[in-house]
């Protein structure tokens, strides 16, 4: 699976996704954008090298010759967590400025699963149009909106729930958080 981390707030989603995929023994291909690395340093205690070591393979965002830039390279799909409005727009318009954009374009053209954790609020008409355009192309728009039915007690529990829901999109089932209908609702 390809994992992209862009400059939108919420770098922890990409980090936790890598951790969950590693514990599931799934091969991961990581791309962190220039601004994703900056945001990672601002929001977390992780160094970029630490995050890269969580992935099976890691590529610089300028490496347009990376394996993930070709449709002949087989993947389960791609998650961009978090996905900035800039990345959303680049993918929606087919601009392959960096490897994250190019890899997402390949995923779409090959009709594989693309999940975007779009992190922007409030949303303007341009954002909404780009989301609709990509949704019509088959991408899954999964804004990291927290659920409260499971009564999270920490930020980590909220992140785990969103990562679990993201992995569900690929048929990768984990129990990182409680699911709807479990005993928690009998209180």
């Amino acid at each position: 699976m390809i994992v992209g981390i862009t400059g939108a707030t919420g770098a922890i989603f990409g980090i936790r996704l890598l951790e969950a995929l590693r514990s599931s023994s799934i091969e991961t291909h990581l791309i962190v954008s220039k601004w994703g690395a900056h945001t990672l340093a601002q929001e977390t205690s992780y160094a970029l090298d630490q995050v890269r070591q969580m992935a099976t393979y890691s590529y610089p965002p300028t490496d347009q010759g990376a394996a993930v830039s070709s449709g002949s390279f087989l993947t389960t799909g791609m998650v961009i967590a978090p996905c900035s409005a800039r990345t959303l727009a680049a993918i929606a318009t087919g601009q392959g400025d960096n490897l994250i954009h190019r890899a997402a374009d390949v995923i779409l053209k090959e009709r594989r699963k693309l999940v975007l954790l779009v992190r922007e609020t409030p949303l303007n008409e341009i954002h909404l149009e780009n989301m609709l355009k990509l949704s019509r192309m088959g991408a899954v728009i999964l804004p990291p909106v927290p659920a409260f039915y499971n009564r999270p007690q920490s930020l980590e529990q909220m992140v785990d729930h969103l990562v679990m829901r993201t992995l569900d999109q690929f048929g990768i089932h984990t129990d990182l958080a409680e699911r709807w209908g479990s005993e928690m609702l009998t209180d």
Side-chain angles (χ1 to χ4, degrees), residues 1-6 13-14 17-18 21 29-31 75-83 91 100 104 107 113-117 140 142 162-163 166-167 169-170 172:
M1 179 171 309
I2 304 167
V3 176
I5 298 176
T6 70
F13 294 116
L17 184 71
L18 286 168
L21 288 167
H29 297 261
L30 174 66
I31 311 157
T75 65
T76 304
M78 181 175 187
V79 177
I80 303 177
C83 180
I91 297 166
I100 292 175
I107 294 297
K113 179 80 72 162
L114 175 62
V115 177
L116 306 175
L117 275 70
V140 175
L142 200 155
L162 288 159
V163 167
T166 301
L167 292 174
Q169 293 296 313
F170 295 91
I172 302 168

PDB file of all heavy atoms in Angstrom, residues 1-6 13-14 17-18 21 29-31 75-83 91 100 104 107 113-117 140 142 162-163 166-167 169-170 172:
ATOM      1  N   MET A   1       0.837  -1.175   0.000  1.00  0.00           N
ATOM      2  CA  MET A   1       0.000   0.000   0.000  1.00  0.00           C
ATOM      3  C   MET A   1       0.881   1.238   0.000  1.00  0.00           C
ATOM      4  O   MET A   1       1.886   1.290   0.698  1.00  0.00           O
ATOM      5  CB  MET A   1      -0.917   0.015   1.215  1.00  0.00           C
ATOM      6  CG  MET A   1      -1.798   1.256   1.246  1.00  0.00           C
ATOM      7  SD  MET A   1      -3.081   1.257   2.485  1.00  0.00           S
ATOM      8  CE  MET A   1      -3.849  -0.304   2.200  1.00  0.00           C
ATOM      9  N   ILE A   2       0.451   2.239  -0.749  1.00  0.00           N
ATOM     10  CA  ILE A   2       1.158   3.510  -0.787  1.00  0.00           C
ATOM     11  C   ILE A   2       0.540   4.431   0.257  1.00  0.00           C
ATOM     12  O   ILE A   2      -0.688   4.533   0.347  1.00  0.00           O
ATOM     13  CB  ILE A   2       1.054   4.168  -2.178  1.00  0.00           C
ATOM     14  CG1 ILE A   2       1.574   3.232  -3.266  1.00  0.00           C
ATOM     15  CG2 ILE A   2       1.799   5.503  -2.201  1.00  0.00           C
ATOM     16  CD1 ILE A   2       1.226   3.680  -4.676  1.00  0.00           C
ATOM     17  N   VAL A   3       1.382   5.098   1.020  1.00  0.00           N
ATOM     18  CA  VAL A   3       0.929   6.061   2.021  1.00  0.00           C
ATOM     19  C   VAL A   3       1.586   7.400   1.711  1.00  0.00           C
ATOM     20  O   VAL A   3       2.813   7.486   1.623  1.00  0.00           O
ATOM     21  CB  VAL A   3       1.287   5.620   3.459  1.00  0.00           C
ATOM     22  CG1 VAL A   3       0.881   6.688   4.473  1.00  0.00           C
ATOM     23  CG2 VAL A   3       0.637   4.279   3.792  1.00  0.00           C
ATOM     24  N   GLY A   4       0.768   8.429   1.527  1.00  0.00           N
ATOM     25  CA  GLY A   4       1.262   9.779   1.331  1.00  0.00           C
ATOM     26  C   GLY A   4       0.928  10.624   2.547  1.00  0.00           C
ATOM     27  O   GLY A   4      -0.164  10.503   3.103  1.00  0.00           O
ATOM     28  N   ILE A   5       1.868  11.439   2.960  1.00  0.00           N
ATOM     29  CA  ILE A   5       1.650  12.386   4.053  1.00  0.00           C
ATOM     30  C   ILE A   5       1.941  13.771   3.484  1.00  0.00           C
ATOM     31  O   ILE A   5       3.055  14.035   3.047  1.00  0.00           O
ATOM     32  CB  ILE A   5       2.556  12.087   5.270  1.00  0.00           C
ATOM     33  CG1 ILE A   5       2.241  10.702   5.847  1.00  0.00           C
ATOM     34  CG2 ILE A   5       2.414  13.177   6.337  1.00  0.00           C
ATOM     35  CD1 ILE A   5       3.156  10.287   7.004  1.00  0.00           C
ATOM     36  N   THR A   6       0.922  14.640   3.481  1.00  0.00           N
ATOM     37  CA  THR A   6       1.085  15.984   2.939  1.00  0.00           C
ATOM     38  C   THR A   6       1.099  17.011   4.067  1.00  0.00           C
ATOM     39  O   THR A   6       1.034  16.662   5.236  1.00  0.00           O
ATOM     40  CB  THR A   6      -0.017  16.318   1.912  1.00  0.00           C
ATOM     41  OG1 THR A   6      -1.264  16.456   2.584  1.00  0.00           O
ATOM     42  CG2 THR A   6      -0.099  15.263   0.826  1.00  0.00           C
ATOM     43  N   PHE A  13      -2.215  10.990  11.601  1.00  0.00           N
ATOM     44  CA  PHE A  13      -3.024   9.989  10.889  1.00  0.00           C
ATOM     45  C   PHE A  13      -2.137   9.111  10.014  1.00  0.00           C
ATOM     46  O   PHE A  13      -2.296   7.894   9.979  1.00  0.00           O
ATOM     47  CB  PHE A  13      -4.114  10.656  10.050  1.00  0.00           C
ATOM     48  CG  PHE A  13      -5.150  11.353  10.861  1.00  0.00           C
ATOM     49  CD1 PHE A  13      -5.309  12.727  10.782  1.00  0.00           C
ATOM     50  CD2 PHE A  13      -5.986  10.654  11.721  1.00  0.00           C
ATOM     51  CE1 PHE A  13      -6.260  13.387  11.530  1.00  0.00           C
ATOM     52  CE2 PHE A  13      -6.939  11.301  12.484  1.00  0.00           C
ATOM     53  CZ  PHE A  13      -7.082  12.672  12.390  1.00  0.00           C
ATOM     54  N   GLY A  14      -1.211   9.708   9.293  1.00  0.00           N
ATOM     55  CA  GLY A  14      -0.299   8.943   8.455  1.00  0.00           C
ATOM     56  C   GLY A  14       0.634   8.072   9.271  1.00  0.00           C
ATOM     57  O   GLY A  14       0.896   6.916   8.921  1.00  0.00           O
ATOM     58  N   LEU A  17      -1.325   5.169  10.744  1.00  0.00           N
ATOM     59  CA  LEU A  17      -1.656   4.255   9.652  1.00  0.00           C
ATOM     60  C   LEU A  17      -0.459   3.355   9.349  1.00  0.00           C
ATOM     61  O   LEU A  17      -0.607   2.135   9.186  1.00  0.00           O
ATOM     62  CB  LEU A  17      -2.067   5.053   8.418  1.00  0.00           C
ATOM     63  CG  LEU A  17      -2.539   4.258   7.229  1.00  0.00           C
ATOM     64  CD1 LEU A  17      -3.905   3.636   7.500  1.00  0.00           C
ATOM     65  CD2 LEU A  17      -2.612   5.140   6.004  1.00  0.00           C
ATOM     66  N   LEU A  18       0.731   3.936   9.270  1.00  0.00           N
ATOM     67  CA  LEU A  18       1.940   3.139   9.037  1.00  0.00           C
ATOM     68  C   LEU A  18       2.145   2.113  10.151  1.00  0.00           C
ATOM     69  O   LEU A  18       2.501   0.959   9.886  1.00  0.00           O
ATOM     70  CB  LEU A  18       3.163   4.049   8.939  1.00  0.00           C
ATOM     71  CG  LEU A  18       3.307   4.857   7.659  1.00  0.00           C
ATOM     72  CD1 LEU A  18       4.397   5.921   7.820  1.00  0.00           C
ATOM     73  CD2 LEU A  18       3.598   3.957   6.462  1.00  0.00           C
ATOM     74  N   LEU A  21      -0.406  -0.697   9.688  1.00  0.00           N
ATOM     75  CA  LEU A  21      -0.071  -1.538   8.540  1.00  0.00           C
ATOM     76  C   LEU A  21       1.138  -2.418   8.833  1.00  0.00           C
ATOM     77  O   LEU A  21       1.186  -3.581   8.420  1.00  0.00           O
ATOM     78  CB  LEU A  21       0.173  -0.677   7.299  1.00  0.00           C
ATOM     79  CG  LEU A  21      -1.083  -0.046   6.695  1.00  0.00           C
ATOM     80  CD1 LEU A  21      -0.707   1.025   5.673  1.00  0.00           C
ATOM     81  CD2 LEU A  21      -1.978  -1.110   6.075  1.00  0.00           C
ATOM     82  N   HIS A  29       4.683   1.731   1.087  1.00  0.00           N
ATOM     83  CA  HIS A  29       5.521   2.596   0.274  1.00  0.00           C
ATOM     84  C   HIS A  29       5.157   4.025   0.653  1.00  0.00           C
ATOM     85  O   HIS A  29       4.069   4.499   0.336  1.00  0.00           O
ATOM     86  CB  HIS A  29       5.267   2.335  -1.216  1.00  0.00           C
ATOM     87  CG  HIS A  29       5.647   0.940  -1.600  1.00  0.00           C
ATOM     88  ND1 HIS A  29       6.851   0.657  -2.198  1.00  0.00           N
ATOM     89  CD2 HIS A  29       5.006  -0.244  -1.440  1.00  0.00           C
ATOM     90  CE1 HIS A  29       6.927  -0.641  -2.400  1.00  0.00           C
ATOM     91  NE2 HIS A  29       5.822  -1.208  -1.949  1.00  0.00           N
ATOM     92  N   LEU A  30       6.066   4.703   1.336  1.00  0.00           N
ATOM     93  CA  LEU A  30       5.794   6.003   1.927  1.00  0.00           C
ATOM     94  C   LEU A  30       6.373   7.141   1.098  1.00  0.00           C
ATOM     95  O   LEU A  30       7.514   7.069   0.637  1.00  0.00           O
ATOM     96  CB  LEU A  30       6.390   6.074   3.334  1.00  0.00           C
ATOM     97  CG  LEU A  30       6.320   7.420   4.059  1.00  0.00           C
ATOM     98  CD1 LEU A  30       4.866   7.804   4.365  1.00  0.00           C
ATOM     99  CD2 LEU A  30       7.158   7.381   5.330  1.00  0.00           C
ATOM    100  N   ILE A  31       5.555   8.200   0.951  1.00  0.00           N
ATOM    101  CA  ILE A  31       6.008   9.446   0.347  1.00  0.00           C
ATOM    102  C   ILE A  31       5.555  10.567   1.277  1.00  0.00           C
ATOM    103  O   ILE A  31       4.358  10.687   1.561  1.00  0.00           O
ATOM    104  CB  ILE A  31       5.387   9.683  -1.041  1.00  0.00           C
ATOM    105  CG1 ILE A  31       5.507   8.445  -1.924  1.00  0.00           C
ATOM    106  CG2 ILE A  31       6.027  10.910  -1.697  1.00  0.00           C
ATOM    107  CD1 ILE A  31       4.476   8.395  -3.031  1.00  0.00           C
ATOM    108  N   THR A  75      -0.145  -2.533  -6.514  1.00  0.00           N
ATOM    109  CA  THR A  75      -0.395  -2.131  -5.130  1.00  0.00           C
ATOM    110  C   THR A  75      -1.852  -2.417  -4.785  1.00  0.00           C
ATOM    111  O   THR A  75      -2.692  -2.581  -5.672  1.00  0.00           O
ATOM    112  CB  THR A  75      -0.157  -0.620  -4.909  1.00  0.00           C
ATOM    113  OG1 THR A  75      -1.120   0.114  -5.663  1.00  0.00           O
ATOM    114  CG2 THR A  75       1.245  -0.209  -5.313  1.00  0.00           C
ATOM    115  N   THR A  76      -2.126  -2.446  -3.501  1.00  0.00           N
ATOM    116  CA  THR A  76      -3.503  -2.554  -3.018  1.00  0.00           C
ATOM    117  C   THR A  76      -4.234  -1.247  -3.247  1.00  0.00           C
ATOM    118  O   THR A  76      -5.433  -1.219  -3.454  1.00  0.00           O
ATOM    119  CB  THR A  76      -3.489  -2.866  -1.500  1.00  0.00           C
ATOM    120  OG1 THR A  76      -2.728  -4.038  -1.292  1.00  0.00           O
ATOM    121  CG2 THR A  76      -4.888  -3.042  -0.954  1.00  0.00           C
ATOM    122  N   GLY A  77      -3.485  -0.157  -3.207  1.00  0.00           N
ATOM    123  CA  GLY A  77      -4.064   1.169  -3.370  1.00  0.00           C
ATOM    124  C   GLY A  77      -3.215   2.188  -2.658  1.00  0.00           C
ATOM    125  O   GLY A  77      -2.043   1.947  -2.360  1.00  0.00           O
ATOM    126  N   MET A  78      -3.851   3.328  -2.371  1.00  0.00           N
ATOM    127  CA  MET A  78      -3.120   4.446  -1.770  1.00  0.00           C
ATOM    128  C   MET A  78      -4.004   5.199  -0.794  1.00  0.00           C
ATOM    129  O   MET A  78      -5.187   5.405  -1.048  1.00  0.00           O
ATOM    130  CB  MET A  78      -2.652   5.395  -2.874  1.00  0.00           C
ATOM    131  CG  MET A  78      -1.856   6.592  -2.394  1.00  0.00           C
ATOM    132  SD  MET A  78      -1.238   7.541  -3.809  1.00  0.00           S
ATOM    133  CE  MET A  78      -0.187   8.725  -2.975  1.00  0.00           C
ATOM    134  N   VAL A  79      -3.389   5.628   0.297  1.00  0.00           N
ATOM    135  CA  VAL A  79      -4.028   6.500   1.276  1.00  0.00           C
ATOM    136  C   VAL A  79      -3.180   7.759   1.381  1.00  0.00           C
ATOM    137  O   VAL A  79      -1.952   7.666   1.508  1.00  0.00           O
ATOM    138  CB  VAL A  79      -4.121   5.848   2.671  1.00  0.00           C
ATOM    139  CG1 VAL A  79      -4.728   6.814   3.672  1.00  0.00           C
ATOM    140  CG2 VAL A  79      -4.904   4.557   2.633  1.00  0.00           C
ATOM    141  N   ILE A  80      -3.818   8.910   1.343  1.00  0.00           N
ATOM    142  CA  ILE A  80      -3.123  10.161   1.620  1.00  0.00           C
ATOM    143  C   ILE A  80      -3.701  10.694   2.917  1.00  0.00           C
ATOM    144  O   ILE A  80      -4.875  11.054   2.992  1.00  0.00           O
ATOM    145  CB  ILE A  80      -3.259  11.176   0.470  1.00  0.00           C
ATOM    146  CG1 ILE A  80      -2.732  10.557  -0.825  1.00  0.00           C
ATOM    147  CG2 ILE A  80      -2.502  12.464   0.816  1.00  0.00           C
ATOM    148  CD1 ILE A  80      -2.871  11.439  -2.050  1.00  0.00           C
ATOM    149  N   ALA A  81      -2.842  10.660   3.963  1.00  0.00           N
ATOM    150  CA  ALA A  81      -3.291  10.977   5.315  1.00  0.00           C
ATOM    151  C   ALA A  81      -2.239  11.790   6.040  1.00  0.00           C
ATOM    152  O   ALA A  81      -1.212  11.229   6.414  1.00  0.00           O
ATOM    153  CB  ALA A  81      -3.568   9.684   6.082  1.00  0.00           C
ATOM    154  N   PRO A  82      -2.448  13.059   6.199  1.00  0.00           N
ATOM    155  CA  PRO A  82      -3.590  13.848   5.754  1.00  0.00           C
ATOM    156  C   PRO A  82      -3.402  14.286   4.298  1.00  0.00           C
ATOM    157  O   PRO A  82      -2.298  14.266   3.769  1.00  0.00           O
ATOM    158  CB  PRO A  82      -3.550  15.068   6.681  1.00  0.00           C
ATOM    159  CG  PRO A  82      -2.083  15.259   6.947  1.00  0.00           C
ATOM    160  CD  PRO A  82      -1.501  13.870   7.001  1.00  0.00           C
ATOM    161  N   CYS A  83      -4.499  14.686   3.700  1.00  0.00           N
ATOM    162  CA  CYS A  83      -4.489  15.181   2.321  1.00  0.00           C
ATOM    163  C   CYS A  83      -4.808  16.671   2.344  1.00  0.00           C
ATOM    164  O   CYS A  83      -5.901  17.070   2.765  1.00  0.00           O
ATOM    165  CB  CYS A  83      -5.518  14.435   1.486  1.00  0.00           C
ATOM    166  SG  CYS A  83      -5.590  14.976  -0.233  1.00  0.00           S
ATOM    167  N   ILE A  91      -4.457  16.427  -7.666  1.00  0.00           N
ATOM    168  CA  ILE A  91      -4.928  15.123  -8.124  1.00  0.00           C
ATOM    169  C   ILE A  91      -6.166  15.289  -9.006  1.00  0.00           C
ATOM    170  O   ILE A  91      -6.279  14.668 -10.063  1.00  0.00           O
ATOM    171  CB  ILE A  91      -5.225  14.193  -6.930  1.00  0.00           C
ATOM    172  CG1 ILE A  91      -3.950  13.927  -6.141  1.00  0.00           C
ATOM    173  CG2 ILE A  91      -5.858  12.886  -7.400  1.00  0.00           C
ATOM    174  CD1 ILE A  91      -4.188  13.301  -4.781  1.00  0.00           C
ATOM    175  N   ILE A 100       3.653  12.169  -4.832  1.00  0.00           N
ATOM    176  CA  ILE A 100       2.335  11.876  -4.256  1.00  0.00           C
ATOM    177  C   ILE A 100       1.260  12.086  -5.313  1.00  0.00           C
ATOM    178  O   ILE A 100       0.390  11.232  -5.512  1.00  0.00           O
ATOM    179  CB  ILE A 100       2.060  12.731  -2.997  1.00  0.00           C
ATOM    180  CG1 ILE A 100       2.995  12.317  -1.854  1.00  0.00           C
ATOM    181  CG2 ILE A 100       0.587  12.608  -2.558  1.00  0.00           C
ATOM    182  CD1 ILE A 100       2.900  13.179  -0.611  1.00  0.00           C
ATOM    183  N   ALA A 104      -0.960   9.000  -7.002  1.00  0.00           N
ATOM    184  CA  ALA A 104      -2.427   9.041  -6.925  1.00  0.00           C
ATOM    185  C   ALA A 104      -3.036   8.973  -8.317  1.00  0.00           C
ATOM    186  O   ALA A 104      -4.040   8.287  -8.536  1.00  0.00           O
ATOM    187  CB  ALA A 104      -2.879  10.304  -6.194  1.00  0.00           C
ATOM    188  N   ILE A 107      -2.900   5.413  -9.434  1.00  0.00           N
ATOM    189  CA  ILE A 107      -3.932   4.620  -8.743  1.00  0.00           C
ATOM    190  C   ILE A 107      -5.285   4.823  -9.420  1.00  0.00           C
ATOM    191  O   ILE A 107      -6.016   3.855  -9.672  1.00  0.00           O
ATOM    192  CB  ILE A 107      -4.002   5.000  -7.240  1.00  0.00           C
ATOM    193  CG1 ILE A 107      -2.712   4.592  -6.520  1.00  0.00           C
ATOM    194  CG2 ILE A 107      -5.230   4.402  -6.569  1.00  0.00           C
ATOM    195  CD1 ILE A 107      -2.426   3.106  -6.495  1.00  0.00           C
ATOM    196  N   LYS A 113      -7.888   1.468  -5.438  1.00  0.00           N
ATOM    197  CA  LYS A 113      -8.510   2.239  -4.357  1.00  0.00           C
ATOM    198  C   LYS A 113      -7.624   3.407  -3.939  1.00  0.00           C
ATOM    199  O   LYS A 113      -6.457   3.227  -3.619  1.00  0.00           O
ATOM    200  CB  LYS A 113      -8.771   1.315  -3.171  1.00  0.00           C
ATOM    201  CG  LYS A 113      -9.393   1.959  -1.957  1.00  0.00           C
ATOM    202  CD  LYS A 113     -10.880   2.165  -2.045  1.00  0.00           C
ATOM    203  CE  LYS A 113     -11.642   0.881  -1.950  1.00  0.00           C
ATOM    204  NZ  LYS A 113     -13.048   1.058  -1.622  1.00  0.00           N
ATOM    205  N   LEU A 114      -8.207   4.613  -3.951  1.00  0.00           N
ATOM    206  CA  LEU A 114      -7.540   5.831  -3.475  1.00  0.00           C
ATOM    207  C   LEU A 114      -8.399   6.425  -2.374  1.00  0.00           C
ATOM    208  O   LEU A 114      -9.572   6.734  -2.597  1.00  0.00           O
ATOM    209  CB  LEU A 114      -7.374   6.844  -4.615  1.00  0.00           C
ATOM    210  CG  LEU A 114      -6.796   8.213  -4.239  1.00  0.00           C
ATOM    211  CD1 LEU A 114      -5.373   8.081  -3.686  1.00  0.00           C
ATOM    212  CD2 LEU A 114      -6.818   9.148  -5.443  1.00  0.00           C
ATOM    213  N   VAL A 115      -7.839   6.555  -1.179  1.00  0.00           N
ATOM    214  CA  VAL A 115      -8.559   7.113  -0.036  1.00  0.00           C
ATOM    215  C   VAL A 115      -7.847   8.392   0.397  1.00  0.00           C
ATOM    216  O   VAL A 115      -6.643   8.387   0.652  1.00  0.00           O
ATOM    217  CB  VAL A 115      -8.628   6.104   1.139  1.00  0.00           C
ATOM    218  CG1 VAL A 115      -9.314   6.723   2.346  1.00  0.00           C
ATOM    219  CG2 VAL A 115      -9.351   4.830   0.707  1.00  0.00           C
ATOM    220  N   LEU A 116      -8.615   9.472   0.477  1.00  0.00           N
ATOM    221  CA  LEU A 116      -8.072  10.781   0.812  1.00  0.00           C
ATOM    222  C   LEU A 116      -8.642  11.271   2.137  1.00  0.00           C
ATOM    223  O   LEU A 116      -9.855  11.488   2.243  1.00  0.00           O
ATOM    224  CB  LEU A 116      -8.401  11.789  -0.291  1.00  0.00           C
ATOM    225  CG  LEU A 116      -7.980  11.389  -1.712  1.00  0.00           C
ATOM    226  CD1 LEU A 116      -8.480  12.416  -2.722  1.00  0.00           C
ATOM    227  CD2 LEU A 116      -6.486  11.216  -1.801  1.00  0.00           C
ATOM    228  N   LEU A 117      -7.792  11.440   3.132  1.00  0.00           N
ATOM    229  CA  LEU A 117      -8.208  12.015   4.408  1.00  0.00           C
ATOM    230  C   LEU A 117      -8.025  13.522   4.295  1.00  0.00           C
ATOM    231  O   LEU A 117      -7.027  14.088   4.760  1.00  0.00           O
ATOM    232  CB  LEU A 117      -7.400  11.437   5.575  1.00  0.00           C
ATOM    233  CG  LEU A 117      -7.908  10.115   6.151  1.00  0.00           C
ATOM    234  CD1 LEU A 117      -7.704   8.969   5.189  1.00  0.00           C
ATOM    235  CD2 LEU A 117      -7.256   9.826   7.476  1.00  0.00           C
ATOM    236  N   VAL A 140     -12.172   7.608  -2.648  1.00  0.00           N
ATOM    237  CA  VAL A 140     -12.971   7.681  -1.431  1.00  0.00           C
ATOM    238  C   VAL A 140     -12.508   8.916  -0.666  1.00  0.00           C
ATOM    239  O   VAL A 140     -11.329   9.056  -0.345  1.00  0.00           O
ATOM    240  CB  VAL A 140     -12.798   6.422  -0.559  1.00  0.00           C
ATOM    241  CG1 VAL A 140     -13.531   6.563   0.765  1.00  0.00           C
ATOM    242  CG2 VAL A 140     -13.267   5.186  -1.316  1.00  0.00           C
ATOM    243  N   LEU A 142     -12.531  10.655   2.686  1.00  0.00           N
ATOM    244  CA  LEU A 142     -12.748  10.250   4.069  1.00  0.00           C
ATOM    245  C   LEU A 142     -12.143  11.314   4.994  1.00  0.00           C
ATOM    246  O   LEU A 142     -11.054  11.143   5.521  1.00  0.00           O
ATOM    247  CB  LEU A 142     -12.089   8.878   4.306  1.00  0.00           C
ATOM    248  CG  LEU A 142     -12.555   8.056   5.488  1.00  0.00           C
ATOM    249  CD1 LEU A 142     -12.292   6.587   5.233  1.00  0.00           C
ATOM    250  CD2 LEU A 142     -11.952   8.494   6.782  1.00  0.00           C
ATOM    251  N   LEU A 162     -10.273   6.481  13.399  1.00  0.00           N
ATOM    252  CA  LEU A 162     -10.207   6.946  12.010  1.00  0.00           C
ATOM    253  C   LEU A 162      -9.277   6.080  11.168  1.00  0.00           C
ATOM    254  O   LEU A 162      -9.572   5.788  10.002  1.00  0.00           O
ATOM    255  CB  LEU A 162      -9.778   8.411  11.964  1.00  0.00           C
ATOM    256  CG  LEU A 162     -10.875   9.366  12.438  1.00  0.00           C
ATOM    257  CD1 LEU A 162     -10.288  10.697  12.856  1.00  0.00           C
ATOM    258  CD2 LEU A 162     -11.911   9.550  11.355  1.00  0.00           C
ATOM    259  N   VAL A 163      -8.179   5.640  11.738  1.00  0.00           N
ATOM    260  CA  VAL A 163      -7.267   4.748  11.018  1.00  0.00           C
ATOM    261  C   VAL A 163      -7.951   3.407  10.753  1.00  0.00           C
ATOM    262  O   VAL A 163      -7.851   2.856   9.655  1.00  0.00           O
ATOM    263  CB  VAL A 163      -5.938   4.579  11.791  1.00  0.00           C
ATOM    264  CG1 VAL A 163      -5.108   3.433  11.232  1.00  0.00           C
ATOM    265  CG2 VAL A 163      -5.155   5.884  11.767  1.00  0.00           C
ATOM    266  N   THR A 166     -10.310   3.833   7.937  1.00  0.00           N
ATOM    267  CA  THR A 166      -9.554   3.964   6.692  1.00  0.00           C
ATOM    268  C   THR A 166      -9.140   2.593   6.179  1.00  0.00           C
ATOM    269  O   THR A 166      -9.324   2.276   4.995  1.00  0.00           O
ATOM    270  CB  THR A 166      -8.315   4.855   6.900  1.00  0.00           C
ATOM    271  OG1 THR A 166      -8.746   6.155   7.356  1.00  0.00           O
ATOM    272  CG2 THR A 166      -7.516   5.006   5.625  1.00  0.00           C
ATOM    273  N   LEU A 167      -8.607   1.769   7.049  1.00  0.00           N
ATOM    274  CA  LEU A 167      -8.182   0.428   6.640  1.00  0.00           C
ATOM    275  C   LEU A 167      -9.361  -0.438   6.219  1.00  0.00           C
ATOM    276  O   LEU A 167      -9.223  -1.297   5.343  1.00  0.00           O
ATOM    277  CB  LEU A 167      -7.377  -0.230   7.767  1.00  0.00           C
ATOM    278  CG  LEU A 167      -6.021   0.416   8.034  1.00  0.00           C
ATOM    279  CD1 LEU A 167      -5.364  -0.200   9.271  1.00  0.00           C
ATOM    280  CD2 LEU A 167      -5.115   0.324   6.827  1.00  0.00           C
ATOM    281  N   GLN A 169     -11.651   0.424   4.367  1.00  0.00           N
ATOM    282  CA  GLN A 169     -11.877   0.707   2.952  1.00  0.00           C
ATOM    283  C   GLN A 169     -11.121  -0.266   2.041  1.00  0.00           C
ATOM    284  O   GLN A 169     -11.494  -0.470   0.893  1.00  0.00           O
ATOM    285  CB  GLN A 169     -11.471   2.151   2.614  1.00  0.00           C
ATOM    286  CG  GLN A 169     -12.338   3.194   3.246  1.00  0.00           C
ATOM    287  CD  GLN A 169     -13.766   3.117   2.723  1.00  0.00           C
ATOM    288  OE1 GLN A 169     -13.998   3.025   1.520  1.00  0.00           O
ATOM    289  NE2 GLN A 169     -14.716   3.135   3.636  1.00  0.00           N
ATOM    290  N   PHE A 170     -10.065  -0.856   2.565  1.00  0.00           N
ATOM    291  CA  PHE A 170      -9.240  -1.794   1.799  1.00  0.00           C
ATOM    292  C   PHE A 170      -9.503  -3.242   2.189  1.00  0.00           C
ATOM    293  O   PHE A 170      -8.787  -4.140   1.753  1.00  0.00           O
ATOM    294  CB  PHE A 170      -7.757  -1.467   2.002  1.00  0.00           C
ATOM    295  CG  PHE A 170      -7.366  -0.134   1.440  1.00  0.00           C
ATOM    296  CD1 PHE A 170      -7.421   1.000   2.227  1.00  0.00           C
ATOM    297  CD2 PHE A 170      -6.968  -0.007   0.119  1.00  0.00           C
ATOM    298  CE1 PHE A 170      -7.075   2.245   1.715  1.00  0.00           C
ATOM    299  CE2 PHE A 170      -6.629   1.224  -0.403  1.00  0.00           C
ATOM    300  CZ  PHE A 170      -6.685   2.356   0.394  1.00  0.00           C
ATOM    301  N   ILE A 172      -9.029  -4.371   5.117  1.00  0.00           N
ATOM    302  CA  ILE A 172      -8.054  -4.697   6.160  1.00  0.00           C
ATOM    303  C   ILE A 172      -8.734  -4.408   7.487  1.00  0.00           C
ATOM    304  O   ILE A 172      -8.912  -3.256   7.865  1.00  0.00           O
ATOM    305  CB  ILE A 172      -6.762  -3.864   6.012  1.00  0.00           C
ATOM    306  CG1 ILE A 172      -6.134  -4.103   4.638  1.00  0.00           C
ATOM    307  CG2 ILE A 172      -5.789  -4.189   7.146  1.00  0.00           C
ATOM    308  CD1 ILE A 172      -5.039  -3.112   4.287  1.00  0.00           C
TER     309      ILE A 172
END
